[in-house]
Amino acid sequence: MLEAKEVYSFLLFVNGWLCQLFSPCSQPVLLSTSSLNTQQYLGKWYFIAAAGVKESDVQMFRQMDSTVFYLDETSENALLLTGAMRVGVHCIMKNWTYTIQSGKDDLTSEGRPELQTLVWSGEWLNCTQCILLQEIERHLDPLETHDTLNRFMLYARDSALLDNKVVTAFQTQTACKNMDRFVHLPQEKELCKLENKV
Protein backbone atom coordinates (compact mmCIF):
# COMPACT_ATOMS: atom_id res chain seq x y z
CA MET A 1 0.00 0.00 0.00
CA LEU A 2 1.27 3.47 -0.88
CA GLU A 3 1.95 5.85 1.95
CA ALA A 4 0.27 9.29 1.99
CA LYS A 5 3.66 10.95 1.44
CA GLU A 6 4.28 8.91 -1.74
CA VAL A 7 0.79 9.66 -3.07
CA TYR A 8 1.27 13.36 -2.37
CA SER A 9 4.66 13.36 -4.15
CA PHE A 10 3.15 11.56 -7.14
CA LEU A 11 0.24 14.03 -7.35
CA LEU A 12 2.66 16.97 -7.23
CA PHE A 13 4.69 15.41 -10.05
CA VAL A 14 1.58 14.84 -12.19
CA ASN A 15 0.35 18.39 -11.50
CA GLY A 16 3.72 19.88 -12.55
CA TRP A 17 3.83 17.73 -15.66
CA LEU A 18 0.29 18.70 -16.67
CA CYS A 19 1.03 22.39 -16.11
CA GLN A 20 4.04 22.16 -18.41
CA LEU A 21 2.05 20.19 -20.98
CA PHE A 22 -0.80 22.70 -21.24
CA SER A 23 1.14 25.91 -20.66
CA PRO A 24 2.49 27.76 -23.72
CA CYS A 25 5.29 29.18 -21.57
CA SER A 26 8.71 27.67 -21.68
CA GLN A 27 11.51 28.46 -19.28
CA PRO A 28 14.67 30.24 -20.44
CA VAL A 29 18.10 28.81 -19.70
CA LEU A 30 20.10 30.88 -17.22
CA LEU A 31 23.75 31.39 -18.13
CA SER A 32 25.44 31.58 -14.73
CA THR A 33 27.94 34.40 -14.92
CA SER A 34 30.32 32.69 -12.49
CA SER A 35 30.88 29.86 -15.00
CA LEU A 36 30.25 31.76 -18.24
CA ASN A 37 32.87 31.84 -20.98
CA THR A 38 32.74 35.61 -21.44
CA GLN A 39 35.07 35.47 -24.48
CA GLN A 40 32.27 34.16 -26.70
CA TYR A 41 30.06 37.16 -25.83
CA LEU A 42 32.61 39.94 -26.36
CA GLY A 43 32.18 42.26 -29.31
CA LYS A 44 29.27 43.96 -31.06
CA TRP A 45 25.60 43.42 -30.15
CA TYR A 46 22.43 45.06 -31.44
CA PHE A 47 19.60 45.92 -29.06
CA ILE A 48 16.35 44.68 -30.57
CA ALA A 49 13.49 44.80 -28.07
CA ALA A 50 12.49 45.03 -24.42
CA ALA A 51 9.60 43.73 -22.34
CA GLY A 52 8.65 44.67 -18.82
CA VAL A 53 6.03 44.24 -16.15
CA LYS A 54 5.26 47.97 -15.93
CA GLU A 55 5.36 50.76 -18.51
CA SER A 56 8.17 52.41 -16.53
CA ASP A 57 10.30 49.27 -17.14
CA VAL A 58 10.40 49.97 -20.90
CA GLN A 59 9.58 53.69 -21.19
CA MET A 60 13.18 54.78 -21.78
CA PHE A 61 13.40 52.57 -24.90
CA ARG A 62 10.34 54.08 -26.60
CA GLN A 63 12.29 57.15 -27.75
CA MET A 64 15.12 55.09 -29.27
CA ASP A 65 15.35 54.20 -32.94
CA SER A 66 18.33 51.87 -32.69
CA THR A 67 21.14 50.95 -30.35
CA VAL A 68 24.42 49.15 -30.86
CA PHE A 69 26.60 47.89 -28.02
CA TYR A 70 30.15 46.69 -27.68
CA LEU A 71 31.16 44.39 -24.84
CA ASP A 72 34.79 44.44 -23.65
CA GLU A 73 36.54 42.59 -20.87
CA THR A 74 38.45 45.10 -18.75
CA SER A 75 39.79 42.52 -16.29
CA GLU A 76 39.22 38.89 -15.38
CA ASN A 77 36.09 39.79 -13.40
CA ALA A 78 34.88 42.99 -15.07
CA LEU A 79 33.00 43.76 -18.29
CA LEU A 80 32.53 47.15 -19.95
CA LEU A 81 29.40 47.60 -22.07
CA THR A 82 29.55 50.66 -24.35
CA GLY A 83 26.33 51.74 -26.03
CA ALA A 84 25.58 54.11 -28.90
CA MET A 85 21.87 54.95 -28.87
CA ARG A 86 20.02 56.73 -31.69
CA VAL A 87 17.41 59.10 -30.23
CA GLY A 88 15.93 61.30 -32.96
CA VAL A 89 18.86 62.85 -34.82
CA HIS A 90 21.20 62.48 -31.83
CA CYS A 91 23.62 59.77 -30.80
CA ILE A 92 23.93 59.20 -27.08
CA MET A 93 26.96 57.31 -25.79
CA LYS A 94 26.92 55.53 -22.44
CA ASN A 95 29.09 53.02 -20.54
CA TRP A 96 28.10 50.39 -17.99
CA THR A 97 30.58 48.39 -15.93
CA TYR A 98 29.60 44.94 -14.66
CA THR A 99 31.41 42.77 -12.17
CA ILE A 100 31.39 38.96 -12.22
CA GLN A 101 31.43 37.53 -8.71
CA SER A 102 32.42 33.95 -8.00
CA GLY A 103 29.48 31.78 -6.98
CA LYS A 104 26.85 34.27 -8.17
CA ASP A 105 24.57 33.80 -11.18
CA ASP A 106 24.10 37.49 -11.91
CA LEU A 107 26.21 40.47 -12.91
CA THR A 108 26.70 43.33 -10.47
CA SER A 109 26.31 46.78 -11.97
CA GLU A 110 28.83 49.38 -10.81
CA GLY A 111 27.10 52.07 -8.78
CA ARG A 112 23.82 50.11 -8.55
CA PRO A 113 24.25 47.26 -6.06
CA GLU A 114 20.46 46.78 -5.85
CA LEU A 115 20.28 45.94 -9.58
CA GLN A 116 20.44 42.23 -10.41
CA THR A 117 21.36 41.49 -14.05
CA LEU A 118 20.77 37.92 -15.22
CA VAL A 119 22.04 36.54 -18.54
CA TRP A 120 19.77 34.13 -20.44
CA SER A 121 20.43 31.98 -23.49
CA GLY A 122 18.87 32.96 -26.83
CA GLU A 123 17.90 29.32 -27.28
CA TRP A 124 14.69 30.23 -25.41
CA LEU A 125 13.72 31.95 -28.69
CA ASN A 126 15.42 29.43 -31.00
CA CYS A 127 18.07 32.06 -31.72
CA THR A 128 21.66 30.95 -31.19
CA GLN A 129 22.91 34.43 -32.16
CA CYS A 130 20.80 36.10 -29.47
CA ILE A 131 21.21 36.77 -25.79
CA LEU A 132 18.81 38.14 -23.20
CA LEU A 133 19.51 40.26 -20.18
CA GLN A 134 17.02 40.52 -17.36
CA GLU A 135 17.29 43.46 -15.00
CA ILE A 136 15.58 43.17 -11.63
CA GLU A 137 15.72 45.88 -9.03
CA ARG A 138 14.23 45.14 -5.65
CA HIS A 139 12.96 47.57 -3.03
CA LEU A 140 15.41 48.26 -0.27
CA ASP A 141 12.44 48.17 2.13
CA PRO A 142 11.87 44.46 3.00
CA LEU A 143 8.16 45.18 3.59
CA GLU A 144 7.66 46.01 -0.10
CA THR A 145 6.61 42.88 -2.01
CA HIS A 146 7.04 43.99 -5.63
CA ASP A 147 10.09 44.78 -7.72
CA THR A 148 10.79 48.38 -8.71
CA LEU A 149 12.15 47.13 -12.06
CA ASN A 150 11.75 43.84 -13.91
CA ARG A 151 12.50 43.69 -17.63
CA PHE A 152 13.99 41.47 -20.33
CA MET A 153 16.12 42.93 -23.12
CA LEU A 154 16.82 41.09 -26.39
CA TYR A 155 20.16 41.46 -28.18
CA ALA A 156 21.30 39.99 -31.51
CA ARG A 157 24.85 39.35 -32.65
CA ASP A 158 24.74 39.60 -36.45
CA SER A 159 22.28 42.30 -37.37
CA ALA A 160 20.00 45.02 -36.04
CA LEU A 161 17.27 43.53 -38.22
CA LEU A 162 16.31 40.30 -36.51
CA ASP A 163 13.83 37.81 -37.99
CA ASN A 164 10.29 38.78 -36.95
CA LYS A 165 9.66 35.20 -35.76
CA VAL A 166 12.31 35.69 -33.06
CA VAL A 167 10.88 39.05 -32.00
CA THR A 168 7.37 37.55 -31.87
CA ALA A 169 8.68 34.61 -29.82
CA PHE A 170 10.34 37.11 -27.44
CA GLN A 171 7.08 39.03 -27.02
CA THR A 172 5.08 35.82 -26.49
CA GLN A 173 7.51 34.25 -24.02
CA THR A 174 7.89 37.41 -21.94
CA ALA A 175 4.11 37.94 -21.92
CA CYS A 176 3.88 34.49 -20.31
CA LYS A 177 5.97 35.96 -17.50
CA ASN A 178 3.51 38.83 -16.96
CA MET A 179 5.65 41.22 -19.01
CA ASP A 180 3.07 42.66 -21.35
CA ARG A 181 4.75 46.06 -21.83
CA PHE A 182 6.75 45.67 -25.04
CA VAL A 183 9.03 47.84 -27.20
CA HIS A 184 10.58 46.82 -30.53
CA LEU A 185 13.09 49.39 -31.77
CA PRO A 186 12.13 50.60 -35.28
CA GLN A 187 15.72 50.52 -36.66
CA GLU A 188 14.76 53.04 -39.37
CA LYS A 189 17.70 55.43 -39.10
CA GLU A 190 21.42 54.91 -39.48
CA LEU A 191 23.08 53.25 -36.50
CA CYS A 192 25.28 55.43 -34.35
CA LYS A 193 28.99 54.72 -34.59
CA LEU A 194 30.86 53.17 -31.69
CA GLU A 195 34.15 55.02 -31.61
CA ASN A 196 37.32 52.90 -31.49
CA LYS A 197 35.31 49.65 -31.76
CA VAL A 198 35.60 47.11 -34.57
Short mmCIF file of all heavy atoms in Angstrom, two decimals, residues 119-157:
data_model
loop_
_atom_site.label_atom_id
_atom_site.label_comp_id
_atom_site.label_asym_id
_atom_site.label_seq_id
_atom_site.Cartn_x
_atom_site.Cartn_y
_atom_site.Cartn_z
N VAL A 119 21.76 36.80 -17.13
CA VAL A 119 22.04 36.54 -18.54
C VAL A 119 21.36 35.23 -18.93
O VAL A 119 21.57 34.20 -18.29
CB VAL A 119 23.57 36.45 -18.80
CG1 VAL A 119 23.85 36.24 -20.28
CG2 VAL A 119 24.28 37.69 -18.27
N TRP A 120 20.53 35.29 -19.99
CA TRP A 120 19.77 34.13 -20.44
C TRP A 120 20.16 33.76 -21.86
O TRP A 120 20.47 34.62 -22.68
CB TRP A 120 18.26 34.43 -20.40
CG TRP A 120 17.75 34.81 -19.05
CD1 TRP A 120 17.62 36.07 -18.55
CD2 TRP A 120 17.32 33.93 -18.02
NE1 TRP A 120 17.12 36.03 -17.27
CE2 TRP A 120 16.92 34.73 -16.92
CE3 TRP A 120 17.21 32.54 -17.90
CZ2 TRP A 120 16.43 34.20 -15.73
CZ3 TRP A 120 16.72 32.01 -16.72
CH2 TRP A 120 16.34 32.83 -15.66
N SER A 121 20.09 32.49 -22.17
CA SER A 121 20.43 31.98 -23.49
C SER A 121 19.35 32.34 -24.51
O SER A 121 18.16 32.28 -24.23
CB SER A 121 20.56 30.45 -23.44
OG SER A 121 20.66 29.92 -24.73
N GLY A 122 19.79 32.68 -25.73
CA GLY A 122 18.87 32.96 -26.83
C GLY A 122 18.15 31.72 -27.33
O GLY A 122 17.21 31.82 -28.14
N GLU A 123 18.57 30.56 -26.87
CA GLU A 123 17.90 29.32 -27.28
C GLU A 123 16.44 29.30 -26.86
O GLU A 123 15.63 28.59 -27.45
CB GLU A 123 18.65 28.10 -26.72
CG GLU A 123 20.01 27.93 -27.36
CD GLU A 123 20.80 26.78 -26.75
OE1 GLU A 123 20.23 25.99 -25.98
OE2 GLU A 123 22.00 26.72 -27.04
N TRP A 124 16.09 30.08 -25.85
CA TRP A 124 14.69 30.23 -25.41
C TRP A 124 13.81 30.68 -26.57
O TRP A 124 12.63 30.37 -26.65
CB TRP A 124 14.65 31.24 -24.27
CG TRP A 124 13.35 31.39 -23.55
CD1 TRP A 124 12.47 30.42 -23.21
CD2 TRP A 124 12.81 32.60 -23.02
NE1 TRP A 124 11.42 30.95 -22.51
CE2 TRP A 124 11.61 32.30 -22.37
CE3 TRP A 124 13.24 33.92 -23.02
CZ2 TRP A 124 10.82 33.25 -21.74
CZ3 TRP A 124 12.46 34.87 -22.38
CH2 TRP A 124 11.26 34.53 -21.76
N LEU A 125 14.43 31.41 -27.53
CA LEU A 125 13.72 31.95 -28.69
C LEU A 125 14.15 31.25 -29.98
O LEU A 125 13.87 31.75 -31.06
CB LEU A 125 13.99 33.45 -28.81
CG LEU A 125 13.78 34.28 -27.55
CD1 LEU A 125 14.25 35.71 -27.78
CD2 LEU A 125 12.34 34.24 -27.10
N ASN A 126 14.85 30.13 -29.85
CA ASN A 126 15.42 29.43 -31.00
C ASN A 126 16.34 30.35 -31.80
O ASN A 126 16.32 30.36 -33.03
CB ASN A 126 14.33 28.84 -31.91
CG ASN A 126 13.56 27.74 -31.21
OD1 ASN A 126 14.14 26.94 -30.49
ND2 ASN A 126 12.27 27.71 -31.43
N CYS A 127 17.14 31.12 -31.09
CA CYS A 127 18.07 32.06 -31.72
C CYS A 127 19.43 31.90 -31.08
O CYS A 127 19.69 32.43 -29.99
CB CYS A 127 17.55 33.50 -31.57
SG CYS A 127 18.63 34.72 -32.35
N THR A 128 20.33 31.19 -31.75
CA THR A 128 21.66 30.95 -31.19
C THR A 128 22.53 32.20 -31.24
O THR A 128 23.53 32.27 -30.55
CB THR A 128 22.37 29.81 -31.94
OG1 THR A 128 22.45 30.15 -33.33
CG2 THR A 128 21.63 28.49 -31.76
N GLN A 129 22.15 33.19 -32.06
CA GLN A 129 22.91 34.43 -32.16
C GLN A 129 22.28 35.55 -31.32
O GLN A 129 22.52 36.72 -31.57
CB GLN A 129 23.02 34.87 -33.63
CG GLN A 129 23.85 33.93 -34.47
CD GLN A 129 25.28 33.83 -33.95
OE1 GLN A 129 25.96 34.82 -33.76
NE2 GLN A 129 25.73 32.61 -33.70
N CYS A 130 21.46 35.14 -30.35
CA CYS A 130 20.80 36.10 -29.47
C CYS A 130 21.20 35.84 -28.02
O CYS A 130 21.63 34.75 -27.68
CB CYS A 130 19.27 35.98 -29.56
SG CYS A 130 18.59 36.41 -31.17
N ILE A 131 21.03 36.88 -27.23
CA ILE A 131 21.21 36.77 -25.79
C ILE A 131 20.17 37.67 -25.15
O ILE A 131 19.72 38.65 -25.75
CB ILE A 131 22.65 37.14 -25.38
CG1 ILE A 131 22.95 36.68 -23.96
CG2 ILE A 131 22.89 38.62 -25.54
CD1 ILE A 131 24.42 36.72 -23.62
N LEU A 132 19.78 37.33 -23.93
CA LEU A 132 18.81 38.14 -23.20
C LEU A 132 19.40 38.55 -21.86
O LEU A 132 20.05 37.74 -21.21
CB LEU A 132 17.53 37.34 -22.96
CG LEU A 132 16.80 36.91 -24.22
CD1 LEU A 132 16.99 35.43 -24.44
CD2 LEU A 132 15.34 37.25 -24.11
N LEU A 133 19.16 39.78 -21.51
CA LEU A 133 19.51 40.26 -20.18
C LEU A 133 18.21 40.55 -19.45
O LEU A 133 17.28 41.11 -20.04
CB LEU A 133 20.36 41.53 -20.23
CG LEU A 133 21.76 41.42 -20.82
CD1 LEU A 133 22.48 42.75 -20.71
CD2 LEU A 133 22.57 40.32 -20.17
N GLN A 134 18.17 40.18 -18.20
CA GLN A 134 17.02 40.52 -17.36
C GLN A 134 17.53 41.39 -16.22
O GLN A 134 18.44 41.01 -15.50
CB GLN A 134 16.33 39.28 -16.80
CG GLN A 134 15.11 39.62 -15.96
CD GLN A 134 14.42 38.40 -15.38
OE1 GLN A 134 14.97 37.29 -15.39
NE2 GLN A 134 13.22 38.59 -14.88
N GLU A 135 16.94 42.56 -16.09
CA GLU A 135 17.29 43.46 -15.00
C GLU A 135 16.16 43.44 -13.98
O GLU A 135 15.00 43.65 -14.32
CB GLU A 135 17.50 44.88 -15.51
CG GLU A 135 18.74 45.02 -16.36
CD GLU A 135 18.97 46.45 -16.81
OE1 GLU A 135 18.00 47.22 -16.95
OE2 GLU A 135 20.16 46.78 -17.04
N ILE A 136 16.54 43.19 -12.73
CA ILE A 136 15.58 43.17 -11.63
C ILE A 136 16.14 44.07 -10.54
O ILE A 136 17.28 43.91 -10.12
CB ILE A 136 15.38 41.75 -11.08
CG1 ILE A 136 14.94 40.79 -12.18
CG2 ILE A 136 14.39 41.75 -9.92
CD1 ILE A 136 15.00 39.33 -11.79
N GLU A 137 15.32 45.00 -10.12
CA GLU A 137 15.72 45.88 -9.03
C GLU A 137 14.68 45.73 -7.93
O GLU A 137 13.50 45.93 -8.16
CB GLU A 137 15.79 47.32 -9.52
CG GLU A 137 16.42 48.27 -8.54
CD GLU A 137 16.63 49.64 -9.17
OE1 GLU A 137 15.63 50.31 -9.50
OE2 GLU A 137 17.80 50.01 -9.36
N ARG A 138 15.14 45.39 -6.77
CA ARG A 138 14.23 45.14 -5.65
C ARG A 138 14.20 46.36 -4.73
O ARG A 138 15.15 47.12 -4.65
CB ARG A 138 14.69 43.92 -4.87
CG ARG A 138 14.90 42.70 -5.77
CD ARG A 138 14.52 41.42 -5.09
NE ARG A 138 14.82 40.25 -5.90
CZ ARG A 138 14.03 39.76 -6.84
NH1 ARG A 138 12.90 40.34 -7.10
NH2 ARG A 138 14.36 38.69 -7.52
N HIS A 139 13.08 46.51 -4.04
CA HIS A 139 12.96 47.57 -3.03
C HIS A 139 13.97 47.32 -1.92
O HIS A 139 14.23 46.18 -1.55
CB HIS A 139 11.56 47.56 -2.40
CG HIS A 139 10.55 48.29 -3.21
ND1 HIS A 139 10.49 49.66 -3.25
CD2 HIS A 139 9.56 47.85 -4.01
CE1 HIS A 139 9.50 50.02 -4.03
NE2 HIS A 139 8.92 48.95 -4.51
N LEU A 140 14.52 48.38 -1.42
CA LEU A 140 15.41 48.26 -0.27
C LEU A 140 14.62 48.00 1.01
O LEU A 140 15.13 47.45 1.96
CB LEU A 140 16.27 49.52 -0.12
CG LEU A 140 17.21 49.79 -1.30
CD1 LEU A 140 17.98 51.09 -1.09
CD2 LEU A 140 18.18 48.64 -1.50
N ASP A 141 13.33 48.39 0.99
CA ASP A 141 12.44 48.17 2.13
C ASP A 141 11.94 46.73 2.07
O ASP A 141 11.23 46.35 1.14
CB ASP A 141 11.27 49.14 2.06
CG ASP A 141 10.30 49.00 3.22
OD1 ASP A 141 10.44 48.04 4.01
OD2 ASP A 141 9.40 49.84 3.32
N PRO A 142 12.28 45.88 3.03
CA PRO A 142 11.87 44.46 3.00
C PRO A 142 10.36 44.26 3.10
O PRO A 142 9.86 43.20 2.78
CB PRO A 142 12.59 43.84 4.20
CG PRO A 142 12.95 44.99 5.08
CD PRO A 142 13.07 46.20 4.21
N LEU A 143 9.62 45.30 3.51
CA LEU A 143 8.16 45.18 3.59
C LEU A 143 7.49 45.32 2.23
O LEU A 143 6.33 44.94 2.06
CB LEU A 143 7.60 46.22 4.58
CG LEU A 143 8.09 46.08 6.02
CD1 LEU A 143 7.54 47.20 6.88
CD2 LEU A 143 7.72 44.73 6.59
N GLU A 144 8.20 45.90 1.25
CA GLU A 144 7.66 46.01 -0.10
C GLU A 144 7.74 44.64 -0.78
O GLU A 144 8.77 43.98 -0.73
CB GLU A 144 8.44 47.04 -0.92
CG GLU A 144 8.25 48.46 -0.46
CD GLU A 144 6.85 48.99 -0.78
OE1 GLU A 144 6.18 48.47 -1.67
OE2 GLU A 144 6.44 49.95 -0.10
N THR A 145 6.66 44.23 -1.44
CA THR A 145 6.61 42.88 -2.01
C THR A 145 6.81 42.85 -3.51
O THR A 145 6.89 41.78 -4.09
CB THR A 145 5.27 42.21 -1.66
OG1 THR A 145 4.21 43.04 -2.17
CG2 THR A 145 5.13 42.01 -0.17
N HIS A 146 6.86 44.00 -4.18
CA HIS A 146 7.04 43.99 -5.63
C HIS A 146 8.38 44.60 -6.02
O HIS A 146 8.98 45.35 -5.26
CB HIS A 146 5.88 44.73 -6.31
CG HIS A 146 5.84 46.19 -5.98
ND1 HIS A 146 5.33 46.67 -4.81
CD2 HIS A 146 6.28 47.27 -6.67
CE1 HIS A 146 5.43 47.99 -4.78
NE2 HIS A 146 6.01 48.38 -5.89
N ASP A 147 8.84 44.25 -7.21
CA ASP A 147 10.09 44.78 -7.72
C ASP A 147 9.87 46.20 -8.24
O ASP A 147 8.80 46.52 -8.76
CB ASP A 147 10.62 43.91 -8.87
CG ASP A 147 10.93 42.50 -8.42
OD1 ASP A 147 11.32 42.33 -7.26
OD2 ASP A 147 10.77 41.58 -9.23
N THR A 148 10.90 47.05 -8.13
CA THR A 148 10.79 48.38 -8.71
C THR A 148 11.11 48.34 -10.21
O THR A 148 10.73 49.23 -10.94
CB THR A 148 11.73 49.38 -8.01
OG1 THR A 148 13.07 48.90 -8.12
CG2 THR A 148 11.35 49.55 -6.56
N LEU A 149 11.80 47.30 -10.65
CA LEU A 149 12.15 47.13 -12.06
C LEU A 149 12.23 45.64 -12.35
O LEU A 149 12.81 44.88 -11.58
CB LEU A 149 13.52 47.78 -12.34
CG LEU A 149 14.12 47.55 -13.72
CD1 LEU A 149 13.33 48.31 -14.78
CD2 LEU A 149 15.57 47.99 -13.75
N ASN A 150 11.63 45.23 -13.46
CA ASN A 150 11.75 43.84 -13.91
C ASN A 150 11.52 43.84 -15.42
O ASN A 150 10.40 44.02 -15.88
CB ASN A 150 10.74 42.94 -13.21
CG ASN A 150 11.00 41.47 -13.49
OD1 ASN A 150 11.90 41.12 -14.26
ND2 ASN A 150 10.23 40.61 -12.88
N ARG A 151 12.62 43.67 -16.17
CA ARG A 151 12.50 43.69 -17.63
C ARG A 151 13.50 42.74 -18.28
O ARG A 151 14.56 42.46 -17.73
CB ARG A 151 12.69 45.10 -18.16
CG ARG A 151 14.08 45.66 -17.94
CD ARG A 151 14.20 47.06 -18.49
NE ARG A 151 15.43 47.71 -18.07
CZ ARG A 151 15.53 49.00 -17.82
NH1 ARG A 151 14.49 49.79 -17.96
NH2 ARG A 151 16.69 49.51 -17.45
N PHE A 152 13.12 42.25 -19.46
CA PHE A 152 13.99 41.47 -20.33
C PHE A 152 14.39 42.36 -21.50
O PHE A 152 13.57 43.14 -22.01
CB PHE A 152 13.26 40.25 -20.89
CG PHE A 152 13.35 39.02 -20.05
CD1 PHE A 152 12.33 38.71 -19.15
CD2 PHE A 152 14.43 38.16 -20.16
CE1 PHE A 152 12.40 37.56 -18.38
CE2 PHE A 152 14.50 37.01 -19.40
CZ PHE A 152 13.48 36.71 -18.50
N MET A 153 15.64 42.21 -21.95
CA MET A 153 16.12 42.93 -23.12
C MET A 153 16.75 41.91 -24.08
O MET A 153 17.52 41.06 -23.66
CB MET A 153 17.13 43.99 -22.70
CG MET A 153 16.50 45.05 -21.81
SD MET A 153 17.69 46.13 -21.01
CE MET A 153 18.46 44.99 -19.87
N LEU A 154 16.37 42.02 -25.35
CA LEU A 154 16.82 41.09 -26.39
C LEU A 154 17.92 41.74 -27.22
O LEU A 154 17.75 42.86 -27.71
CB LEU A 154 15.63 40.71 -27.28
CG LEU A 154 15.93 39.91 -28.54
CD1 LEU A 154 16.53 38.55 -28.22
CD2 LEU A 154 14.65 39.76 -29.38
N TYR A 155 19.03 41.01 -27.38
CA TYR A 155 20.16 41.46 -28.18
C TYR A 155 20.48 40.42 -29.24
O TYR A 155 20.36 39.22 -28.99
CB TYR A 155 21.40 41.65 -27.30
CG TYR A 155 21.23 42.67 -26.22
CD1 TYR A 155 20.65 42.33 -24.99
CD2 TYR A 155 21.63 43.99 -26.41
CE1 TYR A 155 20.48 43.28 -24.00
CE2 TYR A 155 21.47 44.94 -25.42
CZ TYR A 155 20.89 44.57 -24.20
OH TYR A 155 20.72 45.51 -23.22
N ALA A 156 20.91 40.89 -30.42
CA ALA A 156 21.30 39.99 -31.51
C ALA A 156 22.74 40.27 -31.91
O ALA A 156 23.20 41.42 -31.88
CB ALA A 156 20.38 40.17 -32.72
N ARG A 157 23.43 39.24 -32.32
CA ARG A 157 24.85 39.35 -32.65
C ARG A 157 25.08 39.89 -34.06
O ARG A 157 25.89 40.77 -34.27
CB ARG A 157 25.49 37.97 -32.50
CG ARG A 157 26.91 37.87 -32.96
CD ARG A 157 27.85 38.69 -32.14
NE ARG A 157 28.40 37.89 -31.08
CZ ARG A 157 29.21 38.37 -30.16
NH1 ARG A 157 29.55 39.64 -30.16
NH2 ARG A 157 29.66 37.62 -29.20
#
